[in-house]
Amino acid sequence: MFVDEIRRAAEAAPREKLPDVAGLLWRAFGAGQVSEAEAEELSNLIEVRKVPQKPPGAARKAVGSRPRTDASMERRRRWAASGRLPPALAARFTLAETAVLATVAAETARRGDCRLTVGHVAAVAGVSETTVRNALREARKLGFVTIEERRLSAWRSDSNIVRIVSAEWLAWLRLGPKGVGANPRSPRLQKVLDLPRQSGRTVKRAADKRRADPSRSGESGGGPAEALSPWVRTHARQV
């Protein structure tokens, strides 16, 4: 039967030839050689074959900001729960973005503004650099911060200067939120934020050196280094 021939053609034809098979089908339908039900069935078969099929076992593309280690997830949650953003402001951001802004707030409380590189903030907060950029872009869009770019040449730039301008946020920081690392002069907080600022890898590498050789920072066993090392160890792991 003519219907069987069209079905075999629809099943065997390359994808680029399927429009020709569909044209043949509708010409046969117009000539009365194919019933309406048969035409609908064959048309559905052709449309299904037009859709590219994914190879079996194709890896699913990762989306969003996923932590690479349990330590980075812990840092992310720790910063997000540190209470450095008013609840009304924090509700506008994801947990990862809140961790980024909490890190910016901690640096602002110490220095008046944040001049950390994107990689440094990402390493400390336990997020990706893309998440850092997204969080700062959204915060600037909402009028919570300003970002000053420092162009050194056509090819080089210094780290941006992020300033908090939200009156509600600044008032909240002046109250001194009760949370993890709330004290801006905390030795633990300063140790991590004061690490070299070139990139997230540099931050982790410098922390590893401090942990491996406490004498580099003038500390000895039994002193502040021992109390600090577990925290630095956590923040030095891979983001």
Side-chain angles (χ1 to χ4, degrees), residues 24-216:
L24 179 63
L25 167 63
W26 294 116
R27 284 195 298 272
F29 175 73
Q33 296 175 302
V34 178
S35 66
E36 182 176 351
E38 292 169 336
E40 182 178 359
E41 177 189 354
L42 293 174
S43 176
N44 291 337
L45 173 61
I46 294 172
E47 291 302 320
V48 169
R49 291 235 30 233
K50 285 182 179 180
V51 179
Q53 299 296 319
K54 294 183 180 180
R60 178 183 175 186
K61 184 178 179 181
V63 295
S65 176
R66 287 178 167 80
R68 297 180 182 176
T69 65
D70 293 339
S72 60
M73 189 70 244
E74 179 184 351
R75 291 200 302 279
R76 180 183 305 189
R77 290 170 175 167
R78 187 184 299 272
W79 279 104
S82 65
R84 292 189 174 275
L85 276 75
L89 271 64
R92 296 171 175 262
F93 300 92
T94 66
L95 183 142
E97 292 170 344
T98 302
V100 171
L101 297 178
T103 305
V104 171
E107 180 72 0
T108 299
R110 294 196 316 146
R111 303 180 182 275
D113 55 41
C114 179
R115 305 189 182 203
L116 303 179
T117 63
V118 170
H120 193 152
V121 174
V124 172
V127 301
S128 67
E129 295 188 8
T130 300
T131 300
V132 175
R133 295 187 178 93
N134 291 342
L136 294 177
R137 186 184 304 115
E138 184 65 17
R140 179 171 59 179
K141 177 182 176 182
L142 295 173
F144 298 157
V145 302
T146 61
I147 301 177
E148 176 186 343
E149 297 183 358
R150 295 189 288 175
R151 180 72 64 179
L152 301 179
S153 68
W155 301 276
R156 293 178 59 247
S157 296
D158 204 347
S159 60
N160 295 338
I161 302 177
V162 182
R163 296 184 177 91
I164 298 175
V165 295
S166 167
E168 180 182 359
W169 195 354
L170 291 172
W172 181 267
L173 292 177
R174 283 195 295 270
L175 291 175
K178 304 296 183 181
V180 177
N183 181 6
R185 299 186 181 277
S186 166
R188 295 183 175 184
L189 180 61
Q190 293 190 36
K191 279 288 184 181
V192 173
L193 293 180
D194 282 339
L195 290 172
R197 305 186 176 201
Q198 283 73 18
S199 68
R201 291 181 180 177
T202 306
V203 173
K204 292 188 283 292
R205 186 164 55 248
D208 286 337
K209 290 181 180 178
R210 288 175 185 243
R211 182 186 62 201
D213 185 7
S215 63
R216 294 175 62 90

